Amino acid sequence: MTQKDWFSLHHWAGFHLSLLLSFILLTGTFATISTDIDWLANPSIRAEKHITQKQNLDWPALLNSVNKNVPEAQILSIHRPPMPWHNIEVIARDSQGERFRVYLDAYTHKIKGQGRWLNWQRLFRQVHRHLMLETQLGITIVGLFGLVMFFIFITSIYTYRHWWRYFFSFKRINWPSNSSQIKVKSKAAGKKRKFWSELHKIVGLWSMWFLLVISITGVWYLIERWGGAARYDDIVKTTVAHQSERHAQPSPLALSNTIQYMRDNYPKYVINQIRFITKKNIIEIAGQEHAILVRDRANNKIFDAFSGDYLGGIKGEDLNWHFRISEAADPLHFGTFSNWVYRYVWFGFGLALSLLSLTGVYMYLLRLRQTNALITLDNISSLRILWTKSHWVKWPSIALILACSYLIICDFLIPIIN
């Protein structure tokens, strides 16, 4: 294939699928910092004193505080804050069975306030992950766009010959002179197109690694949804002998025994999440220890909810390659590994990919403006031609975005107003 053929493929995918692709990229970009959007929206989340990622927390005291101050709540889980300036988060159910959030100070254990279950973090997660649609359908659609991004990555390599030479070619990006001073409109469009083309190339070069990571992990989510997921069903087997008709409520005493066991036997283990699974009468602890690039669940430890006795667990470093790939997907896709700074690195490069998608469309508009047939057209007429040239491919994207927007209004915005 010639360079022109590769460019045609790159242009077709980038232009015709840009609407939904940009929507997925932007929602994923803001999903990386969505917890801080909640921090801005809800004062209850804002911590008076920061805590470190490895700082020991008094988990039984936190549990006792919620039990005492919100006695009607069924506590489901307690979470270490994702950012140092956030409060501790507790997920609970009310008397109607609806989930909600309780926020506590990590030092005084005082309740600072409450929040909705469907907050900004949850909203961006659901929109980006499956467009608020039925999970199987939504993840399949978004996962297919992982394939699209990988295709764009491959075609960009063949389109931009000797690309490795131009990582520092910033001098080629020259802001076009005032178009009003250029009498020939086609030349004005050409100068603008050259600027945006060079910017598109340099941003694309520096974002290549990120595009590759996002596309591969996106495809992996698609594989998981269609049968390739790593399952833990047979790894941790807990007995059912201690189960009864009465389900155990979270007990500070049992949790104290659990925490003491963890400190004695896993001194380097950092607890990030504690779940109380009443149907199985167990306490499940998740966090980080020795393995890198794994989700917290890869180091699960299971305890009896009545006594706090250890029942079983897994270690991230002992998992086989299939599980390690599965566990690495989320940290790599959202930048949730190691320090919180990486979340903002991922946010910046997410904006860069969104810029690539949008500038690609704008360059095509300028390309149309360069042709003799479109020199006399105004911007509205040019946009109308862009709309026509996208053919039928635009309609599925428009339908999916409208459906997603409708669900956002119904499930997120209307409850806020009411």
mmCIF file of all heavy atoms in Angstrom, residues 21-22 31 41 45 47 50 70 79-80 95 112 142 157 160 180 187 200 214 217 263 270 273 287 292 309 334 372:
data_model
loop_
_atom_site.group_PDB
_atom_site.id
_atom_site.type_symbol
_atom_site.label_atom_id
_atom_site.label_comp_id
_atom_site.label_asym_id
_atom_site.label_seq_id
_atom_site.Cartn_x
_atom_site.Cartn_y
_atom_site.Cartn_z
ATOM 1 N N LEU A 21 -16.096 8.897 18.827
ATOM 2 C CA LEU A 21 -14.746 8.705 19.349
ATOM 3 C C LEU A 21 -14.359 9.858 20.274
ATOM 4 O O LEU A 21 -13.812 9.625 21.366
ATOM 5 C CB LEU A 21 -13.744 8.606 18.196
ATOM 6 C CG LEU A 21 -12.271 8.432 18.579
ATOM 7 C CD1 LEU A 21 -12.073 7.147 19.370
ATOM 8 C CD2 LEU A 21 -11.390 8.425 17.335
ATOM 9 N N SER A 22 -14.644 11.082 19.874
ATOM 10 C CA SER A 22 -14.339 12.242 20.712
ATOM 11 C C SER A 22 -15.132 12.200 22.011
ATOM 12 O O SER A 22 -14.616 12.547 23.082
ATOM 13 C CB SER A 22 -14.642 13.540 19.958
ATOM 14 O OG SER A 22 -13.847 13.644 18.794
ATOM 15 N N ALA A 31 -12.994 11.107 33.440
ATOM 16 C CA ALA A 31 -13.154 10.025 34.413
ATOM 17 C C ALA A 31 -11.904 9.867 35.269
ATOM 18 O O ALA A 31 -11.983 9.458 36.435
ATOM 19 C CB ALA A 31 -13.468 8.709 33.696
ATOM 20 N N ALA A 41 -17.595 19.546 43.990
ATOM 21 C CA ALA A 41 -19.055 19.629 44.063
ATOM 22 C C ALA A 41 -19.602 19.389 45.462
ATOM 23 O O ALA A 41 -20.682 19.897 45.803
ATOM 24 C CB ALA A 41 -19.679 18.629 43.084
ATOM 25 N N ILE A 45 -16.485 16.060 51.141
ATOM 26 C CA ILE A 45 -15.356 15.224 50.720
ATOM 27 C C ILE A 45 -14.023 15.881 51.083
ATOM 28 O O ILE A 45 -13.009 15.197 51.217
ATOM 29 C CB ILE A 45 -15.428 14.955 49.204
ATOM 30 C CG1 ILE A 45 -16.773 14.303 48.846
ATOM 31 C CG2 ILE A 45 -14.285 14.077 48.726
ATOM 32 C CD1 ILE A 45 -16.982 14.088 47.359
ATOM 33 N N ALA A 47 -10.963 17.127 52.876
ATOM 34 C CA ALA A 47 -10.291 16.811 54.139
ATOM 35 C C ALA A 47 -9.605 18.050 54.710
ATOM 36 O O ALA A 47 -9.027 18.846 53.970
ATOM 37 C CB ALA A 47 -9.277 15.700 53.921
ATOM 38 N N HIS A 50 -4.413 16.320 55.249
ATOM 39 C CA HIS A 50 -4.106 15.293 54.265
ATOM 40 C C HIS A 50 -3.590 14.017 54.931
ATOM 41 O O HIS A 50 -3.020 14.042 56.019
ATOM 42 C CB HIS A 50 -3.056 15.801 53.275
ATOM 43 C CG HIS A 50 -3.554 16.905 52.403
ATOM 44 N ND1 HIS A 50 -2.830 17.402 51.344
ATOM 45 C CD2 HIS A 50 -4.717 17.606 52.408
ATOM 46 C CE1 HIS A 50 -3.517 18.369 50.751
ATOM 47 N NE2 HIS A 50 -4.658 18.511 51.387
ATOM 48 N N VAL A 70 -25.122 6.857 62.144
ATOM 49 C CA VAL A 70 -26.111 6.510 61.110
ATOM 50 C C VAL A 70 -26.579 5.079 61.393
ATOM 51 O O VAL A 70 -26.291 4.146 60.622
ATOM 52 C CB VAL A 70 -25.511 6.625 59.696
ATOM 53 C CG1 VAL A 70 -26.624 6.639 58.649
ATOM 54 C CG2 VAL A 70 -24.655 7.872 59.544
ATOM 55 N N HIS A 79 -13.585 2.898 52.295
ATOM 56 C CA HIS A 79 -12.557 3.104 51.280
ATOM 57 C C HIS A 79 -11.549 4.166 51.709
ATOM 58 O O HIS A 79 -11.927 5.244 52.194
ATOM 59 C CB HIS A 79 -13.190 3.554 49.957
ATOM 60 C CG HIS A 79 -14.193 2.584 49.419
ATOM 61 N ND1 HIS A 79 -13.896 1.702 48.400
ATOM 62 C CD2 HIS A 79 -15.493 2.342 49.761
ATOM 63 C CE1 HIS A 79 -14.969 0.960 48.135
ATOM 64 N NE2 HIS A 79 -15.947 1.333 48.948
ATOM 65 N N ARG A 80 -10.276 3.852 51.521
ATOM 66 C CA ARG A 80 -9.227 4.856 51.662
ATOM 67 C C ARG A 80 -9.418 5.876 50.545
ATOM 68 O O ARG A 80 -9.700 5.508 49.402
ATOM 69 C CB ARG A 80 -7.853 4.191 51.543
ATOM 70 C CG ARG A 80 -6.677 5.175 51.676
ATOM 71 C CD ARG A 80 -5.356 4.466 51.407
ATOM 72 N NE ARG A 80 -5.082 3.475 52.429
ATOM 73 C CZ ARG A 80 -4.444 3.726 53.559
ATOM 74 N NH1 ARG A 80 -4.000 4.950 53.806
ATOM 75 N NH2 ARG A 80 -4.228 2.761 54.439
ATOM 76 N N SER A 95 -32.755 2.536 54.575
ATOM 77 C CA SER A 95 -33.850 1.613 54.888
ATOM 78 C C SER A 95 -34.647 1.200 53.659
ATOM 79 O O SER A 95 -35.335 0.171 53.673
ATOM 80 C CB SER A 95 -34.795 2.262 55.918
ATOM 81 O OG SER A 95 -35.258 3.525 55.438
ATOM 82 N N LYS A 112 -18.444 13.949 58.213
ATOM 83 C CA LYS A 112 -18.407 15.283 57.620
ATOM 84 C C LYS A 112 -19.584 15.562 56.705
ATOM 85 O O LYS A 112 -19.825 16.704 56.328
ATOM 86 C CB LYS A 112 -17.105 15.466 56.836
ATOM 87 C CG LYS A 112 -15.845 15.119 57.612
ATOM 88 C CD LYS A 112 -15.698 15.953 58.869
ATOM 89 C CE LYS A 112 -15.400 17.401 58.564
ATOM 90 N NZ LYS A 112 -15.129 18.191 59.792
ATOM 91 N N VAL A 142 -18.018 0.431 23.113
ATOM 92 C CA VAL A 142 -16.821 1.190 23.509
ATOM 93 C C VAL A 142 -15.556 0.376 23.229
ATOM 94 O O VAL A 142 -14.544 0.919 22.781
ATOM 95 C CB VAL A 142 -16.902 1.579 24.998
ATOM 96 C CG1 VAL A 142 -15.614 2.265 25.445
ATOM 97 C CG2 VAL A 142 -18.096 2.497 25.253
ATOM 98 N N ILE A 157 1.332 5.585 11.662
ATOM 99 C CA ILE A 157 2.749 5.257 11.498
ATOM 100 C C ILE A 157 3.135 5.227 10.019
ATOM 101 O O ILE A 157 4.192 5.730 9.619
ATOM 102 C CB ILE A 157 3.072 3.908 12.169
ATOM 103 C CG1 ILE A 157 2.946 4.041 13.695
ATOM 104 C CG2 ILE A 157 4.467 3.426 11.797
ATOM 105 C CD1 ILE A 157 3.138 2.738 14.430
ATOM 106 N N TYR A 160 2.731 8.975 8.364
ATOM 107 C CA TYR A 160 3.775 9.948 8.688
ATOM 108 C C TYR A 160 5.138 9.266 8.565
ATOM 109 O O TYR A 160 5.651 8.688 9.503
ATOM 110 C CB TYR A 160 3.554 10.477 10.105
ATOM 111 C CG TYR A 160 4.316 11.725 10.450
ATOM 112 C CD1 TYR A 160 4.904 12.520 9.466
ATOM 113 C CD2 TYR A 160 4.438 12.127 11.771
ATOM 114 C CE1 TYR A 160 5.589 13.672 9.793
ATOM 115 C CE2 TYR A 160 5.125 13.279 12.121
ATOM 116 C CZ TYR A 160 5.703 14.047 11.129
ATOM 117 O OH TYR A 160 6.399 15.196 11.456
ATOM 118 N N SER A 180 -7.262 37.896 7.324
ATOM 119 C CA SER A 180 -7.864 39.061 6.668
ATOM 120 C C SER A 180 -6.857 39.802 5.784
ATOM 121 O O SER A 180 -7.222 40.549 4.894
ATOM 122 C CB SER A 180 -8.419 40.023 7.724
ATOM 123 O OG SER A 180 -7.373 40.506 8.551
ATOM 124 N N LYS A 187 -5.507 30.359 0.009
ATOM 125 C CA LYS A 187 -4.185 30.421 0.632
ATOM 126 C C LYS A 187 -4.303 30.575 2.143
ATOM 127 O O LYS A 187 -3.505 30.016 2.904
ATOM 128 C CB LYS A 187 -3.380 31.580 0.046
ATOM 129 C CG LYS A 187 -2.937 31.358 -1.395
ATOM 130 C CD LYS A 187 -2.045 32.492 -1.874
ATOM 131 C CE LYS A 187 -1.558 32.229 -3.300
ATOM 132 N NZ LYS A 187 -0.683 33.326 -3.793
ATOM 133 N N HIS A 200 -1.057 18.762 14.904
ATOM 134 C CA HIS A 200 -1.648 17.426 14.952
ATOM 135 C C HIS A 200 -0.547 16.359 14.979
ATOM 136 O O HIS A 200 -0.614 15.392 15.751
ATOM 137 C CB HIS A 200 -2.552 17.236 13.734
ATOM 138 C CG HIS A 200 -3.332 15.961 13.730
ATOM 139 N ND1 HIS A 200 -4.561 15.839 14.326
ATOM 140 C CD2 HIS A 200 -3.056 14.739 13.179
ATOM 141 C CE1 HIS A 200 -5.004 14.609 14.152
ATOM 142 N NE2 HIS A 200 -4.113 13.916 13.464
ATOM 143 N N ILE A 214 -4.055 2.950 25.694
ATOM 144 C CA ILE A 214 -5.514 3.084 25.803
ATOM 145 C C ILE A 214 -6.224 2.145 24.840
ATOM 146 O O ILE A 214 -7.236 1.520 25.194
ATOM 147 C CB ILE A 214 -5.936 4.547 25.539
ATOM 148 C CG1 ILE A 214 -5.365 5.464 26.619
ATOM 149 C CG2 ILE A 214 -7.450 4.663 25.496
ATOM 150 C CD1 ILE A 214 -5.776 5.110 28.024
ATOM 151 N N THR A 217 -5.755 -1.677 26.081
ATOM 152 C CA THR A 217 -6.572 -1.968 27.263
ATOM 153 C C THR A 217 -8.056 -1.895 26.926
ATOM 154 O O THR A 217 -8.865 -2.658 27.474
ATOM 155 C CB THR A 217 -6.243 -1.000 28.409
ATOM 156 O OG1 THR A 217 -6.288 0.357 27.926
ATOM 157 C CG2 THR A 217 -4.859 -1.272 28.967
ATOM 158 N N ARG A 263 -1.828 -6.857 60.262
ATOM 159 C CA ARG A 263 -0.601 -6.189 60.691
ATOM 160 C C ARG A 263 0.455 -7.186 61.154
ATOM 161 O O ARG A 263 1.653 -6.961 60.957
ATOM 162 C CB ARG A 263 -0.926 -5.206 61.808
ATOM 163 C CG ARG A 263 -1.701 -3.980 61.314
ATOM 164 C CD ARG A 263 -2.107 -3.070 62.444
ATOM 165 N NE ARG A 263 -2.844 -1.903 61.938
ATOM 166 C CZ ARG A 263 -3.468 -1.013 62.704
ATOM 167 N NH1 ARG A 263 -3.443 -1.154 64.029
ATOM 168 N NH2 ARG A 263 -4.104 0.010 62.160
ATOM 169 N N VAL A 270 -0.942 -2.587 52.358
ATOM 170 C CA VAL A 270 -1.649 -1.305 52.491
ATOM 171 C C VAL A 270 -3.129 -1.553 52.207
ATOM 172 O O VAL A 270 -3.508 -1.872 51.078
ATOM 173 C CB VAL A 270 -1.097 -0.245 51.521
ATOM 174 C CG1 VAL A 270 -1.874 1.059 51.658
ATOM 175 C CG2 VAL A 270 0.387 -0.010 51.777
ATOM 176 N N GLN A 273 -9.375 -0.893 50.897
ATOM 177 C CA GLN A 273 -10.828 -1.099 50.870
ATOM 178 C C GLN A 273 -11.212 -2.267 51.774
ATOM 179 O O GLN A 273 -10.510 -3.285 51.810
ATOM 180 C CB GLN A 273 -11.278 -1.384 49.437
ATOM 181 C CG GLN A 273 -12.749 -1.662 49.271
ATOM 182 C CD GLN A 273 -13.099 -2.076 47.854
ATOM 183 O OE1 GLN A 273 -13.872 -3.003 47.646
ATOM 184 N NE2 GLN A 273 -12.517 -1.400 46.867
ATOM 185 N N GLY A 287 -6.233 -4.441 48.799
ATOM 186 C CA GLY A 287 -5.212 -3.399 48.866
ATOM 187 C C GLY A 287 -3.991 -3.755 48.055
ATOM 188 O O GLY A 287 -4.051 -4.554 47.119
ATOM 189 N N ILE A 292 3.124 -5.161 41.367
ATOM 190 C CA ILE A 292 2.876 -3.877 40.730
ATOM 191 C C ILE A 292 1.843 -4.049 39.618
ATOM 192 O O ILE A 292 1.646 -5.142 39.096
ATOM 193 C CB ILE A 292 4.173 -3.269 40.161
ATOM 194 C CG1 ILE A 292 4.766 -4.194 39.085
ATOM 195 C CG2 ILE A 292 5.180 -3.004 41.263
ATOM 196 C CD1 ILE A 292 5.946 -3.580 38.341
ATOM 197 N N ASP A 309 -11.711 -14.341 62.054
ATOM 198 C CA ASP A 309 -10.709 -15.365 61.718
ATOM 199 C C ASP A 309 -10.405 -15.341 60.217
ATOM 200 O O ASP A 309 -11.296 -15.138 59.391
ATOM 201 C CB ASP A 309 -11.213 -16.756 62.110
ATOM 202 C CG ASP A 309 -11.300 -16.928 63.625
ATOM 203 O OD1 ASP A 309 -10.625 -16.157 64.332
ATOM 204 O OD2 ASP A 309 -12.044 -17.818 64.078
ATOM 205 N N PHE A 334 -6.449 3.999 33.338
ATOM 206 C CA PHE A 334 -6.846 5.222 34.053
ATOM 207 C C PHE A 334 -5.713 5.868 34.848
ATOM 208 O O PHE A 334 -5.927 6.892 35.500
ATOM 209 C CB PHE A 334 -8.015 4.921 34.997
ATOM 210 C CG PHE A 334 -9.283 4.555 34.289
ATOM 211 C CD1 PHE A 334 -9.705 3.235 34.215
ATOM 212 C CD2 PHE A 334 -10.060 5.524 33.671
ATOM 213 C CE1 PHE A 334 -10.872 2.890 33.554
ATOM 214 C CE2 PHE A 334 -11.228 5.193 33.009
ATOM 215 C CZ PHE A 334 -11.632 3.867 32.950
ATOM 216 N N ASN A 372 -11.184 24.885 -5.112
ATOM 217 C CA ASN A 372 -11.798 25.992 -5.838
ATOM 218 C C ASN A 372 -13.299 26.043 -5.659
ATOM 219 O O ASN A 372 -13.903 27.104 -5.634
ATOM 220 C CB ASN A 372 -11.462 25.883 -7.332
ATOM 221 C CG ASN A 372 -9.981 26.100 -7.598
ATOM 222 O OD1 ASN A 372 -9.343 26.861 -6.883
ATOM 223 N ND2 ASN A 372 -9.445 25.434 -8.618
#
